[in-house]
Each structure stands twice: as C-alpha cells, then as structure tokens.
C-alpha cells in the first residue's frame, strides 16, 4: 500500500510553524496559454496580482471529523396523526450526509473533490467555505494554518458556486468593475482596479463579449452559458484570494474551455494558492491537471491523496483501472450505487471506505500530537485574516450599488414602456368613463367613484410592479452580502431610491390625462395638489409592496400574498363603507389604509370651498333625499372632514416611511438568517 500522502500532514521543514513552503517556479512546458502567463506575470504593484512570496499569504486548510445532518421534510398532517403518541423527534428524523470526513490540503495544491451524485461533494465544500449551511447541523472542526476558523474564512477565500447569478442588464465589463470596486482593498487606486478588470477579462477569454449584456432569459439576449461560467470565475479571482473554492467550475463548458479554465486554476495553485473544487465527470486531460484528488462515497472518504497514486491504491484494493480508460470514470463507477444492485454496491463502498479509515487512523496519532504541541506555542498568533469587515467604505458601497440599480432600471426599457402605457391607459379609462361629469347631485357620487378608481389603480399597478423586486434578486443579494461586498441598508436604500422616479412619473401621467377629461376643478394649484396626493399614495403602496416582497421567498409567494393583504385596506378606504360606520374593533385597521387617506385628501381638495351645487330633487311623500348644496356638505356626507387634509398628507408620509422601515427590518433579518 502506498505511503501516506505528504499533503495529509504538515511538513516538518516548514520555514514558519503552521505555514507550508511551496515551489513558485512554473514549468515552461505546463501548457498554460500565453494570455494567462502574460496577465498573471505582469507587475502592477498590486498584492492580489503578483506571485505570492510572503508565507503569511499562503494558507493550508484542514478539516477533522466533519459530520453534517439535515432535517427531513416534516410529514403531512395525516402521517403525523397516524404517528400519534410518538415524540416529534421520532416523527421528524435527521438525515446524516457526511460521516467523520477528515483531510488536509496545503498551499499550492489543486484538489479535485469527486464522487457519484449524492456523495456529499457540494455539502463538504459548503462546510469548508462556511457557506449555505444555515439549515444544516455541522459537527467537526475546520482549521486554517492549524488554527480553528469559522465565518471569517470568507475574508480570505472566494467561492465559485455552481449556480450563475448575475444582474442581466449589466455588461461583462460593468459587472467586473462593480465587483472590483467593492471587493478589492480600500488602498488600491481606481485605475489599478480597472487594470485588474481588463487583465481578468483577457485571462478568462472574455474579450469578445466584454461589452455584451449578460442577459435575462426570455427578455434580454446576452452571453452564452459557457461565458457566464467564465464570468463567475472571473468575478472571484479579481482579488487573487489565497483560498479558492469552486463548485463544478466546468459545468456547461465545452472540453476546450473546461481545460482552459482548469489551466487557470493550475496556474493560481502554482503561485501558492490553495484551490479545492468539486468536479463531476472530468475528461482525462482535465483529470491529469489536478495535483490531488478526494473521492467521496455515501458521505465517507474513499481516498485522499496524490492523483498519481490513486490508480495504484485502487489496484491494491482489487479494483484495477482498465488500460486506456479514464481514471476519473473508473473511480466514480467503482464508488457509485447502481440501481437494482444497491446492496452489493453499498457493501463495496463500505469496504473501500473502511480500508481508508483504518489507513487514516494509522497516521493520525503522530500528526495530532504534533498539532497539539504546535498549538501550545505562545509565539504563534493567527492574525493574517482576522478581519471580516467590508473592503469598501459606506460611501463607495452606496455609489457602486446605486449605480448598478440605476443602470438596471434605466436599461429595462420593456418594463418602463409597459408602466408608462399602463398609466396612459388608466388615465384614458378614467376620463372616458367619467368624461366631463356634470357637477350636480348625481355627479357628486360619480366624482367619488373617479377619485377612488384613481387611488385604487395607482396602488395596484405599483404593488404589482414591486412585489417581484426582492424575490427576483434575493439570491444575488444574499450571495454578495455574504461575500461582504455591501451592507443591507446600502442595498435597500439604493434599490428604493433608484426605483422612485418611475413611481412619481406614473401618477403624473395618469392624473394629467384623466383630471381634465373628468372635468374636475379647473385650477392649476388644485391639479398639482391632486398629483401630489396621488404621488404620496403611490409611494405608500410601493412601501407596502416592499414588505410583501421582503417576506416572500419567491415571486409566486409574493403574488399570492399581495391580494389578500391589500383587500382589507381597500375595503376600509372610505368608499365602500363610511368611516363613521366601521365597527370599533376593526377601526384600527383604517389607520393603516393609504386608500383612506388618499381618498379623503382628493375629496377635500375637490370640494373645499366649492359651491353652490344645483339641486333639482323634489321631495315627495314616499322618499326624501336631502340636497348637497356645497362642497362642505359633500365632504361631510361621506363621513370625511375638511380639516383632515394636512393630517392625511402627514399620514401618507408616515405610512411610507413606516412601511419601508418594516420592509428593511425583514430584509435585514433574512440577510442574517441565511448567513
């Protein structure tokens, strides 16, 4: 049996305790493309762009006895009733994904984590990177340079996730510029940030599509899937982190681009970076580029060691690799659970993993004692990467995120046109239905209807436009927030400010078209007041929609919630039921209804100091209808008050601010809950 791999134990001849040495020389025959050699060897005065020479910049990572449990989905109500008498822990059991997985990777190593589907590759990657583990129970320890580490590992590492998440209305260069301004150190000049962006574009072969939109499926045509994968990689290596995690980096790429991408990883590893990536089914050429491999099977370690020794190791176990056969395919087939032959496959996997565990235990005692002796040294301090703060200042974060949000809204021309034409259409509908309403006893009721229709239309059109805002960008925001790129308040403030102009423009178009067609008071000041009231109604409705948007995990949930949550406020808006007739136990809800304040303000604006109003109704013995002789009576008969105009305006402002504060708190809660 082959001896234990040298990267499974700390080198005893290291120059500094806890740090490992490496050979920074790169072979001329390594097959690395000329573009990559040129960009990575260029001296720019940036720490992130030069070959690592300081031992404090190199990291080795180790993990010991990693166990991961996830809770199975809760059973249905029927199953829970059938299991009456059992404790909840018996009904809802946890499933273990990883079983005592241990290992160590030293600086300058390119490690491939392989295994069949469901082996636990991505789970192990998430545990090591401390990402996406909020729903897991994790046991064990992860160490950097023999020092335990937790969430602060994000300050020294980059994680290329399998799912490509981008703001589709940005170009490739704009996206990388945004990343560079928020992820690089504060003391790096702007011109060097832009230079680094151009180098990465050249290094990853994105020059041809640098000024192309990333794209939105079904709405905006953009770059290809392979280019998106390379862009994900480019976003993470902008700062040349000493520790890099990549989950399926070659997924969606052709064989040539996959080989080029792994070549770039090989180049970074040769410079002293520690790189761990999961890979599903690499070609023989890609497989040959890795220094070491980690094979997982059924949540256990089947092999961890040099790639060159893996064939000999499996041969010693009685599973030789056929001649001219891809070793990666052979290992995965050997460790896979074949449908119909599960029992024999699991027995084979168990035997292989047991052999490795026994082999691991044979060498673990000296290494454990050495690590304990090292940890007792009073001179050692792990201070290289303790900071978990943001790389950019508050002002730079705000400028960058607001710039991106503004571009996103500016370039989403289709949505802007739809909202603009929608406002014109609603204004025309209002004007046609209530065209030149005669101000008499019947006309008063029609004016009430016109006002409430405008308030309702403005509210629902803006609610439907906003409820999708945060669910659509939820994953992008959480990923960037977890990468410590910007604060939650920065994102919320930038997003809401960038969207505000369109919510002021819609009511202006709507009231301009409908006001004069309906024949409301021909006074410019009254018209401007009516626009101001509708604008406040619009902002209050948008703020309420932000609450729905931030509490909804998906767009379908936000759609389902918007209607039921809005209808009670609509009914209590002062049109369907008079304020003075609302039951006392329900009257508190009226104070949260912007429909109520907006409707009352528009009515007061129309009828204040208005009169006389003609009355042609002749009382008879059967019915008696009192006449409305002036605007004051018109206001009072709906249970409204003239003196409430300023109160209504202040209330709309208060609702806008209050609802936005609540929505921000929900967004803040989500951002911390999922870290």
């Amino acid at each position: 049996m082959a001896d234990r791999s040298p990267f499974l134990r700390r080198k005893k001849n290291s120059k500094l305790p806890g740090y490992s040495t490496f050979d920074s020389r790169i072979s001329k025959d390594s097959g690395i493309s000329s573009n990559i050699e040129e960009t990575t060897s260029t001296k720019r005065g940036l720490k992130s762009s030069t070959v690592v020479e300081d031992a404090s910049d190199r990291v080795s990572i180790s993990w010991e006895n990693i166990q991961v449990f996830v809770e199975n989905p809760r059973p249905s109500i029927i199953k829970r009733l059938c299991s009456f008498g059992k404790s909840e822990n018996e009904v809802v059991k946890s499933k273990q994904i990883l079983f005592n997985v241990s290992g160590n990777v030293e600086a300058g190593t390119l490690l491939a984590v392989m295994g069949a589907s469901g082996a636990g590759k991505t789970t192990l990657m998430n545990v090591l990177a401390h990402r996406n583990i909020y729903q897991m129970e994790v046991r064990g320890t992860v160490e950097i340079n023999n020092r335990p580490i937790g969430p602060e590992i994000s300050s020294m590492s980059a994680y290329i996730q399998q799912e490509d998440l981008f703001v589709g209305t940005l170009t490739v260069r704009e996206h990388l510029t945004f990343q560079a301004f928020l992820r690089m150190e504060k003391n790096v000049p702007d011109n060097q940030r832009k230079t680094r962006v151009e180098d990465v574009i050249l290094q990853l072969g994105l020059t041809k599509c640098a000024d192309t939109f990333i794209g939105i499926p079904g709405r905006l045509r953009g770059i290809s899937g392979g280019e998106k994968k390379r862009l994900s990689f480019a976003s993470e290596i902008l700062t040349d982190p000493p520790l890099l995690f990549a989950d399926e980096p070659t997924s969606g790429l052709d064989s040539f681009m996959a080989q080029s991408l792994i070549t770039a990883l090989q180049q970074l590893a040769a410079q002293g970076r520690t790189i761990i990536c999961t890979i599903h089914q690499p070609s023989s050429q890609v497989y040959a580029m890795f220094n070491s491999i980690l094979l997982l099977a059924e949540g256990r370690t089947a092999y961890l060691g040099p790639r060159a020794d893996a064939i000999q190791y499996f041969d010693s176990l009685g599973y030789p690799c056929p001649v001219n056969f891809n070793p990666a395919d052979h290992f995965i087939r050997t460790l896979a659970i074949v449908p119909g032959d599960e029992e024999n496959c699991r027995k084979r996997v168990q035997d292989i993993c047991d052999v490795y565990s026994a082999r691991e235990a044979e060498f673990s005692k000296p290494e454990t004692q050495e690590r304990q002796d090292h940890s007792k040294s009073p001179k050692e301090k792990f201070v290289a990467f303790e900071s978990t703060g943001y790389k950019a200042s508050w002002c730079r974060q705000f400028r960058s995120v607001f710039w991106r949000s503004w571009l996103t809204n500016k370039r989403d021309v289709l949505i802007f046109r739809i909202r603009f034409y929608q406002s014109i259409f609603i204004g025309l509908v209002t004007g046609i239905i209530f065209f030149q309403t005669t101000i008499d006893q019947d006309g008063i009721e029609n004016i009430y209807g016109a006002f409430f229709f405008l308030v309702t239309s403005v509210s629902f059109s803006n609610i439907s436009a906003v409820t999708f805002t945060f669910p659509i960008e939820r994953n992008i925001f959480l990923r960037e927030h977890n990468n410590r790129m910007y604060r939650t308040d920065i994102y919320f403030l930038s997003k809401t400010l960038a969207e505000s102009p369109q919510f002021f423009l819609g009511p202006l178009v709507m009231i301009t078209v409908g006001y004069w067609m309906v024949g409301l008071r021909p006074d410019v000041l009254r018209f401007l007041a009516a626009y101001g009231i509708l604008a406040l109604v619009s902002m209050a409705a948008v703020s309420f929609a932000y609450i729905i948007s931030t509490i909804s995990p998906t767009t379908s949930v936000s759609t389902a919630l918007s209607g039921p949550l809005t209808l009670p406020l609509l009914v209590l808006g002062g049109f369907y039921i008079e304020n003075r007739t609302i039951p006392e136990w329900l009257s508190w809800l009226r104070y949260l209804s912007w429909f109520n304040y907006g409707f009352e303000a528009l009515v007061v604006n129309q009828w204040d100091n208005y009169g006389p109003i003609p009355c042609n109704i002749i009382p008879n013995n059967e019915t008696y209808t009192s006449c409305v002789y002036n605007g004051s009576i018109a206001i009072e008969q709906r249970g409204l008050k003239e003196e409430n105009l300023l109160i209504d305006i202040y209330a709309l402002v208060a609702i806008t601010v209050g609802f936005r504060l609540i929505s921000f708190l929900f967004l803040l809660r989500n951002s911390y809950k999922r870290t």
Side-chain angles (χ1 to χ4, degrees):
M1 184 176 294
D3 191 13
R4 181 177 171 83
S5 169
F7 81 96
L8 294 178
R9 60 182 183 273
R10 185 172 60 84
K11 295 183 179 179
K12 297 183 179 180
N13 60 347
S14 299
K15 296 181 180 179
L16 292 175
Y19 299 95
S20 57
T21 59
F22 72 100
D23 186 3
S24 61
R25 294 171 297 178
I26 304 173
S27 173
K28 295 182 180 179
D29 299 327
S30 60
I32 300 173
S33 64
S34 59
N35 284 346
I36 298 175
E37 287 186 7
E38 178 181 357
T39 55
T40 55
S41 61
T42 303
K43 302 297 182 180
R44 296 184 296 273
L46 282 174
K47 174 183 175 182
S48 61
S49 61
T50 57
V51 175
V52 178
E53 297 178 354
D54 187 0
S56 64
D57 290 331
R58 303 194 301 268
V59 300
S60 61
I61 183 172
S62 60
W63 56 98
E64 186 174 357
N65 296 328
I66 299 297
Q67 301 181 66
V68 176
F69 300 85
V70 294
E71 192 174 274
N72 287 328
R74 293 182 63 85
S76 63
I77 297 178
I78 297 178
K79 289 185 177 180
R80 276 183 278 173
L81 291 176
C82 293
S83 57
F84 180 76
K86 296 183 180 180
S87 65
E88 186 175 352
N89 293 332
E90 294 177 345
V91 178
V92 183
K93 295 183 178 180
S94 296
K95 176 182 178 182
Q96 187 169 359
I97 299 180
L98 296 180
F99 301 82
N100 296 316
V101 178
S102 301
N104 185 10
V105 182
E106 294 195 358
T109 301
L110 175 58
L111 173 71
V113 182
M114 297 190 300
S117 297
K121 303 185 296 294
T122 300
T123 301
L124 177 61
M125 181 81 70
N126 290 334
V127 171
L128 297 181
H130 208 277
R131 309 284 182 93
N132 307 321
I133 59 174
Y134 64 99
Q135 290 182 336
M136 301 178 184
E137 180 187 350
V138 181
R139 302 174 186 173
T141 59
V142 178
E143 296 182 350
I144 293 294
N145 294 340
N146 297 332
R147 292 289 184 270
I149 198 167
E152 61 271 20
I153 195 174
S154 60
S155 65
M156 74 180 79
S157 65
Y159 189 11
I160 306 172
Q161 299 189 33
Q162 187 172 357
E163 183 182 6
D164 299 324
L165 296 174
F166 302 106
V167 177
T169 51
L170 296 182
T171 65
V172 170
R173 180 175 282 109
E174 289 170 345
H175 170 78
L176 291 176
T177 301
F178 174 80
Q179 297 282 325
F181 273 79
L182 292 181
R183 301 184 69 170
M184 299 182 73
E185 296 293 341
K186 297 179 181 179
N187 58 352
V188 179
D190 290 352
N191 60 338
Q192 292 189 7
R193 296 173 191 265
K194 295 178 181 178
T195 301
R196 177 60 179 161
V197 168
E198 297 302 323
D199 290 341
V200 170
I201 289 176
L202 179 63
Q203 182 178 353
L204 270 298
L206 296 170
T207 306
K208 185 181 296 184
C209 62
D211 296 312
T212 304
F213 290 124
I214 298 174
I216 304 174
R219 284 172 51 188
L220 180 63
R221 187 173 181 179
I223 60 179
S224 66
E227 290 168 335
K228 285 184 179 180
K229 180 62 67 175
R230 280 180 278 157
L231 181 58
S232 295
F233 187 76
S235 303
E236 299 298 334
I237 68 170
L238 272 172
T239 56
D240 273 352
L243 180 60
L244 179 63
F245 300 97
D247 189 14
E248 300 282 359
T250 60
S251 177
L253 300 181
D254 55 51
S255 59
F256 173 76
M257 287 311 306
Q259 189 171 353
S260 300
L261 196 60
I262 300 301
T263 298
L265 288 176
Q266 191 181 51
Q267 171 77 15
L268 292 175
Q271 295 176 357
R273 275 39 176 180
T274 305
I275 303 176
I276 303 175
C277 66
T278 62
I279 192 162
H280 182 62
Q281 197 170 7
S283 64
S284 56
Q285 293 88 347
V286 170
Y287 171 78
M289 293 182 179
F290 293 102
N291 305 120
S292 307
I293 62 172
L294 167 60
L295 297 176
L296 291 177
E298 295 291 287
R300 300 181 63 189
T301 304
Y303 175 78
L304 175 59
R307 171 189 51 80
D309 296 344
I311 294 179
Q312 180 183 356
Y313 176 75
F314 273 81
D315 187 25
S316 66
L317 297 178
Y319 303 101
C321 179
V323 180
N324 298 327
F325 197 85
N326 185 354
D329 292 339
H330 170 66
F331 299 147
I332 294 174
R333 288 180 57 184
T334 303
L335 299 172
I337 306 299
V338 180
D341 193 24
E342 290 87 352
E343 184 176 353
N344 292 331
C345 291
R346 288 195 171 91
K347 181 65 170 58
R348 179 174 66 244
V349 168
Q350 182 178 358
D351 292 340
I352 294 174
C353 294
D354 288 344
V355 170
Y356 179 81
S357 297
R359 175 175 175 264
E360 179 78 5
E362 182 180 350
F363 296 94
S364 62
K365 293 182 179 179
E367 180 181 358
T368 303
Q369 183 63 39
E370 181 182 9
R371 183 174 300 176
Q372 291 176 349
D373 295 340
H374 170 70
S375 63
K376 296 178 182 178
S377 175
K379 299 180 181 179
E380 301 291 337
K381 287 186 178 180
F382 184 65
V383 297
F385 300 100
E386 287 183 352
S387 174
T388 59
Y390 298 97
K391 299 294 180 65
S393 63
W394 193 95
C395 293
R396 179 178 286 277
Q397 290 179 42
F398 178 76
R399 288 199 306 268
S400 300
V401 179
F402 181 77
W403 169 76
R404 186 180 70 173
S405 300
W406 183 265
L407 283 182
T408 300
N409 287 280
K410 176 183 174 183
R411 290 175 176 173
D412 205 345
V413 180
L414 178 61
I415 297 299
F416 176 79
R417 288 178 178 174
I418 291 175
R419 292 176 182 173
F420 181 76
Y421 293 138
Q422 182 185 49
S423 299
I424 295 178
F425 177 76
I426 294 174
L428 288 174
V429 169
T430 306
I432 292 173
I433 295 177
F434 302 96
F435 185 74
Q436 294 300 309
T437 300
T438 303
I439 305 300
D440 55 16
Q441 303 301 307
D442 294 329
I444 294 174
E445 295 296 329
N446 293 338
I447 295 296
Y448 291 147
F451 285 151
F452 200 76
F453 179 76
L454 287 172
V455 171
T456 304
S457 299
V458 166
S459 299
F460 279 99
S461 61
N462 289 325
I463 287 175
S464 62
V466 171
T467 49
F468 298 152
T469 297
F470 292 107
I472 289 177
E473 294 188 3
R474 182 185 184 89
N475 292 332
I476 297 176
F477 160 69
L478 290 175
R479 175 180 293 186
E480 294 176 343
H481 176 73
N482 292 340
N483 287 336
R484 312 296 289 176
M485 291 177 58
Y486 49 76
R487 299 157 52 96
T488 305
D489 57 333
I490 293 288
Y491 175 75
F492 184 82
L493 187 62
S494 301
K495 193 71 178 174
T496 54
L497 287 179
E499 291 181 344
S500 293
Q502 60 185 325
F503 299 127
F504 284 105
L505 179 62
L508 178 61
V509 174
M510 193 180 302
I511 196 66
T512 301
V513 175
Y515 190 90
W516 307 106
M517 291 182 66
V518 174
L520 302 175
R521 296 181 72 168
D523 187 335
V524 175
L525 293 179
R526 299 282 179 174
F527 166 76
L528 293 177
Y531 162 65
I533 293 168
L534 276 186
L536 289 176
V537 168
S538 172
M539 298 308 293
V542 167
S543 300
F544 182 75
Y546 281 145
I547 296 179
I548 299 175
S549 184
T550 51
I551 65 176
S552 303
T554 62
T555 55
S556 57
V557 173
S558 63
T559 303
L561 289 177
S562 60
L565 293 179
T566 308
L567 285 179
L569 303 177
L570 171 67
V571 174
L572 298 175
F575 180 76
Y576 296 109
I577 182 172
E578 294 185 14
N579 291 337
R580 58 187 173 218
T581 63
I582 298 176
E584 291 185 3
W585 64 272
L586 197 59
S587 60
W588 64 270
L589 194 58
R590 175 172 62 89
Y591 298 105
L592 299 178
S593 173
W594 65 89
F595 297 97
N596 173 53
Y597 299 116
F599 176 68
E600 184 176 49
L602 286 175
V603 170
V604 173
N605 181 63
Q606 169 68 19
W607 299 122
D608 181 37
N609 294 326
Y610 188 94
I613 299 176
C615 179
N616 298 323
I617 299 177
I618 301 176
N620 54 46
N621 295 330
E622 297 179 0
T623 60
Y624 176 77
T625 303
S626 60
C627 285
V628 177
Y629 295 103
N630 53 49
S632 298
I633 300 176
I635 295 172
E636 292 177 1
Q637 78 166 2
R638 296 296 306 182
L640 309 176
K641 298 179 181 179
E642 292 183 62
E643 59 271 19
N644 282 355
L645 179 59
L646 288 179
I647 296 177
D648 294 333
I649 293 175
Y650 294 149
L652 289 173
V653 174
I655 285 177
T656 300
V657 175
F659 282 171
R660 296 204 179 204
L661 179 60
I662 293 173
S663 60
F664 167 70
L665 294 177
F666 278 120
L667 184 65
L668 187 66
R669 175 180 175 271
N670 292 335
S671 65
Y672 281 99
K673 180 181 177 181
R674 298 177 66 92
T675 55

